[in-house]
């Protein structure tokens, strides 16, 4: 079977399994949308929340989703089984990553439409090319970080806790739920070092092009890519295929 | 592992038998390519499994001891996904038929019982139509009827001309299924041969048992009496049976339930494993 057909079939089954798993589908999709509704109800600043939560959606669909599902697959022995087949192990993981990137696009589209329909936030139609590019780059980078994370997660039970312990505090300082401008300098320095704030900035420039010199934020994308490369290198060096027993 | 020598012929069912921790899984994982050997030579179907070649993986099927399938796929979907990794896979429904999961074809994996999941494991191992199938403790944790069903399934595989490399700690399983048995204890092979040739080995005594009627005990060395159950082992069955019948004629004991048998694979196994433990 050709690689393209193989990848497509892998993608199709990953997708089926994802939507049949209520926990995965709920936490990946309902969570960001729930945040959008609650924060708008509380603070009513949709132009702030829509781009930030769109970026958070990319992190959720890629980093959170990959780190948790791949850990579960490893601990259940699915990865070890795949490694005993002729399928190159990298193809299996690439199939997973492609599916996560697809989820990121679907999730960002839902958040953007939700913002347009309920909160009057313009769709990023005039910045469509940089918008689509930013999502692809960020999704791939956060998937790489998710793969790297799996080697630090000892078992299935610990996965959601460890993954969220990093994501949620980072979101608080990264202009997702609270303004970055209000943070003290030391917190801003941490946020500047981490990739999430830079992903948020690219989304803001896509949704609100008037506030940025260009919708192509090469510096921000560069930081995210650097983290992605770091994640990929760590994943290549440290990835485990077998359950820890 | 402390150095083992094994040869398995095409089309045979080979059983590696041993207690837990004897090195069965280590051996089978080296043969599958899941684990690197530290020394020695291994050739499986002409390939060195340590090199992880795709061409090798295309010819084998692996059923690991503890393994999973994507829980939210159905039986047919899971098999279809795995068969797509192989150049000449078997049709999904044919594989489902072989393992007897026809009624569960469209059931999600998470709704299968333990025994059904194990059969799905075997189905996935067969999906690529392998020449050689590794089964690591395929029936551990099965109830008796599920074990019998699994045995029938393995016998079906043999009739399809597959070579099967089986590990087990059940003696009856090896005796029933295997053409060739190797017993491994503490990382070493302590005996190897067909189940019947192992039983016929001279170093294992013949076992004689009967239920006595009176209070007499035959005057034969090594006789053990437990209530009315009498048992002894002998390396000279002709002499000792002669003594026994002479004693029976004298005392009038009818030798109720007299059994004279070769040692079972279980006896050999127990003998070898206790020997190895003591050495």
């Amino acid at each position: 079977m050709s690689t393209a057909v193989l990848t497509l079939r892998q993608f199709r089954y990953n997708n089926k399994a994802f939507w049949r798993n209520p926990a995965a589908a709920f936490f990946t999709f309902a969570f960001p949308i729930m945040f959008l509704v609650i924060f708008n109800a509380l603070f009513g600043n949709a132009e702030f929340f829509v781009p930030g939560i769109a970026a958070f959606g990319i992190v959720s669909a890629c980093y959170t989703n990959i780190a948790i599902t791949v850990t579960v697959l490893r601990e259940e022995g699915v990865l070890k089984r795949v490694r005993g087949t002729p399928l190159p192990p990298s193809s299996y993981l690439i199939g997973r990553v492609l599916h996560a990137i697809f989820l990121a696009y679907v999730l960002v589209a839902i958040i953007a439409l939700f913002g347009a329909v309920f909160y009057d936030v313009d769709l990023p139609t005039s910045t469509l090319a940089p918008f689509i590019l930013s999502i692809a780059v960020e999704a791939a980078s956060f998937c790489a970080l998710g793969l790297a994370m799996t080697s630090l997660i000892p078992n299935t039970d610990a996965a959601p806790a460890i993954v969220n312990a990093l994501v949620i505090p980072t979101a608080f300082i990264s202009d997702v739920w609270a303004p970055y401008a209000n943070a003290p300098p030391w917190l801003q320095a941490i946020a500047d070092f981490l990739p999430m704030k830079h992903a948020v900035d690219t989304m803001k420039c896509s949704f609100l092009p008037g506030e940025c010199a260009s919708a192509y934020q090469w510096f921000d994308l560069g930081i995210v890519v650097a983290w992605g490369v770091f994640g990929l290198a760590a994943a290549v060096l440290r990835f485990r295929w077998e359950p820890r027993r | 592992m402390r150095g083992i020598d094994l040869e398995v012929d095409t089309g045979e069912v080979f059983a590696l038998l041993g207690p837990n921790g004897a090195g069965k899984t280590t051996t089978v994982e080296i043969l599958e390519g899941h684990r690197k050997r530290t020394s020695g030579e291994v050739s499986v179907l002409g390939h060195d499994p340590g090199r992880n070649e795709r061409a090798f993986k295309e010819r084998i099927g692996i059923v690991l001891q503890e393994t999973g399938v994507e829980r939210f796929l159905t039986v047919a979907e899971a098999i279809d996904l795995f068969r797509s990794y192989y150049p000449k896979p078997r049709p999904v429904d044919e594989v489902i038929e072989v393992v007897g999961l026809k009624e569960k074809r469209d059931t999600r994996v998470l709704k299968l019982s333990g025994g059904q999941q194990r059969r799905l494991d075997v189905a996935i191992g067969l999906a690529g139509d392998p020449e050689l199938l590794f089964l690591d403790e395929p029936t551990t944790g099965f109830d008796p009827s599920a074990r019998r069903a699994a045995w029938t399934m393995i016998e079906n595989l043999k009739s399809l001309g597959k070579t099967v490399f089986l590990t087990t700690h059940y003696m009856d399983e090896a005796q029933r299924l295997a053409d060739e048995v190797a017993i491994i204890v503490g990382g070493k092979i302590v005996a190897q041969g067909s189940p019947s040739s192992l039983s016929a080995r001279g170093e294992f005594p013949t076992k004689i048992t009967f239920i006595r009627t009176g209070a007499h005990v035959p005057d034969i060395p090594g006789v053990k009496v437990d209530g009315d159950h009498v048992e002894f082992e002998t390396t000279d069955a002709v002499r000792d049976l002669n003594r026994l019948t002479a004693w029976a004629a004298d005392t009038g004991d009818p030798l109720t339930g007299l059994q004279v048998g070769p040692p079972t694979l279980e006896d050999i196994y127990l003998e070898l494993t206790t020997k190895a433990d003591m050495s």
Side-chain angles (χ1 to χ4, degrees), chain B:
Chain B
M1 304 306 303
R2 297 193 283 162
I4 62 169
D5 253 317
L6 285 179
E7 206 160 306
V8 180
D9 290 330
T10 309
E12 79 177 5
V13 175
F14 183 96
L16 189 60
L17 184 66
N20 287 327
K24 297 191 297 291
T25 295
T26 307
T27 305
V28 77
E29 289 200 341
I30 287 170
L31 298 177
E32 292 163 350
H34 272 305
R35 201 186 276 255
K36 294 254 186 291
R37 63 182 186 275
T38 48
S39 63
E41 266 175 59
V42 180
S43 170
V44 184
L45 302 171
H47 293 267
D48 174 355
R51 293 173 60 188
N52 248 322
E53 292 162 303
R54 191 166 180 171
F56 170 63
K57 301 276 175 74
E58 283 172 353
R59 295 172 64 193
I60 62 167
I62 298 176
V63 180
L64 295 161
Q65 211 176 115
E66 280 178 52
T67 178
V69 194
E70 184 79 75
R71 285 157 41 236
F72 293 95
L73 295 180
T74 66
V75 166
E77 287 168 348
I79 296 170
D80 186 40
L81 177 59
F82 275 89
R83 66 191 277 286
S84 70
Y85 304 156
Y86 295 85
K88 281 185 237 97
R90 297 179 71 178
V92 174
D93 288 307
E94 203 181 293
V95 176
I96 290 177
E97 184 93 49
V98 173
V99 301
L101 277 178
K102 220 170 159 189
E103 272 90 76
K104 299 288 170 185
R105 187 186 187 283
D106 297 312
T107 302
R108 292 188 189 175
V109 173
L110 78 170
K111 291 194 177 136
L112 298 178
S113 71
Q116 289 164 345
Q117 289 206 16
R118 205 72 188 116
R119 277 188 267 166
L120 174 60
D121 286 338
V122 177
I124 290 173
L126 287 173
D129 200 17
E131 296 161 50
L132 166 62
L133 186 68
F134 291 100
L135 296 171
D136 197 1
E137 299 196 0
T139 64
T140 297
F142 276 26
D143 62 43
S145 72
R147 287 186 71 206
R148 213 142 296 137
W151 288 353
T152 309
M153 189 185 77
I154 293 166
E155 283 162 350
N156 288 343
L157 298 181
K158 197 184 160 186
S159 65
L160 291 172
K162 308 290 179 201
T163 307
V164 178
F165 190 104
L166 175 81
T167 75
T168 181
H169 54 239
Y170 297 121
M171 278 71 61
D172 51 345
E173 190 158 290
Q175 188 141 31
R176 161 92 183 251
L177 295 173
D179 302 304
E180 180 90 355
V181 179
I183 299 176
I184 183 170
V185 182
K188 277 178 113 166
I189 304 280
V190 292
Q192 187 173 352
S194 68
S196 54
S197 78
L198 283 179
S199 307
R201 279 168 61 164
E203 68 212 71
F204 298 105
T206 304
K207 193 163 149 184
I208 298 169
T209 58
F210 66 96
I211 309 293
R212 67 176 176 166
T213 306
H216 302 283
V217 177
D219 179 27
I220 298 168
V223 163
K224 281 178 277 183
V225 183
D226 179 12
D228 51 6
H229 182 90
V230 183
E231 178 182 319
F232 64 96
E233 288 176 354
T234 174
T235 47
D236 190 345
V238 174
R239 184 196 64 201
D240 286 337
L241 275 172
N242 220 337
R243 282 182 177 182
L244 182 67
T245 47
W247 168 82
D250 280 354
T251 59
D253 194 300
L255 295 179
T256 313
L258 177 69
Q259 281 189 3
V260 181
T264 62
L265 201 49
E266 179 158 2
D267 297 325
I268 297 166
Y269 175 79
L270 288 173
E271 165 116 11
L272 288 170
T273 49
T274 41
K275 248 192 219 160
D277 277 349
M278 286 185 298
S279 66

Side-chain angles (χ1 to χ4, degrees), chain A residues 91-103:
Chain A
S91 304
Y92 180 81
L93 290 180
I94 290 168
R96 289 259 150 209
V97 165
L98 288 178
H99 179 250
I101 294 173
F102 161 78
L103 290 181

Side-chain angles (χ1 to χ4, degrees), chain A residues 11-231:
Chain A
F11 179 91
R12 196 158 53 88
Y13 282 124
N14 285 347
N15 200 42
K16 269 190 185 174
F18 177 84
W19 293 106
R20 286 178 192 169
N21 178 350
F26 178 82
F27 283 110
T28 307
F29 273 80
F31 242 43
I33 294 164
M34 200 173 77
F35 286 134
L36 186 64
V37 173
I38 291 173
F39 284 108
N40 268 303
L42 288 173
F43 308 109
N45 186 359
E47 288 201 336
F48 174 79
F49 289 119
V50 169
I53 288 174
F56 180 74
I58 298 171
V59 175
S60 174
C62 292
Y63 167 82
T64 310
N65 171 30
I66 287 281
I68 295 175
T69 55
V70 173
T71 300
V72 170
L73 292 167
R74 180 191 72 206
E75 294 303 309
E76 284 181 348
V78 178
L79 296 186
K80 186 172 181 181
R81 189 203 287 268
V82 168
R83 220 158 58 129
T85 73
L87 181 74
S90 57
S91 304
Y92 180 81
L93 290 180
I94 290 168
R96 289 259 150 209
V97 165
L98 288 178
H99 179 250
I101 294 173
F102 161 78
L103 290 181
Y105 275 108
V106 173
L107 188 52
V108 172
I110 291 174
I111 292 165
L113 286 171
F114 207 87
V117 171
F118 296 104
Y119 306 118
D120 251 356
V121 176
D122 288 341
L123 290 173
T125 40
S126 66
T127 54
L128 205 56
F131 181 60
I132 288 171
L133 172 79
S134 300
I135 297 170
V137 167
E138 287 154 14
S141 300
F142 282 112
C143 282
L145 287 170
L147 286 176
M149 268 311 287
T150 60
S151 64
L152 299 177
I153 304 173
N155 56 55
T156 304
D157 292 336
I162 293 176
V163 168
N164 284 318
L166 288 172
V167 164
I168 305 290
T170 308
F172 270 106
I173 61 173
S174 297
D175 229 15
V176 173
W177 302 324
Y180 163 87
N182 294 355
W186 65 273
L187 267 185
Q188 289 187 344
I190 295 173
D192 287 340
F193 175 69
L194 295 173
M196 199 188 298
K197 165 73 166 63
H198 301 282
V200 173
D201 284 348
T202 63
M203 288 296 111
K204 286 202 194 300
C205 290
S206 290
F207 277 95
L208 312 164
E211 297 187 7
C212 305
S214 161
Y216 289 100
Q217 293 293 310
W218 297 118
F219 175 74
D220 290 317
L221 284 180
I223 303 261
V224 176
V225 168
W227 275 97
V229 171
F230 166 73

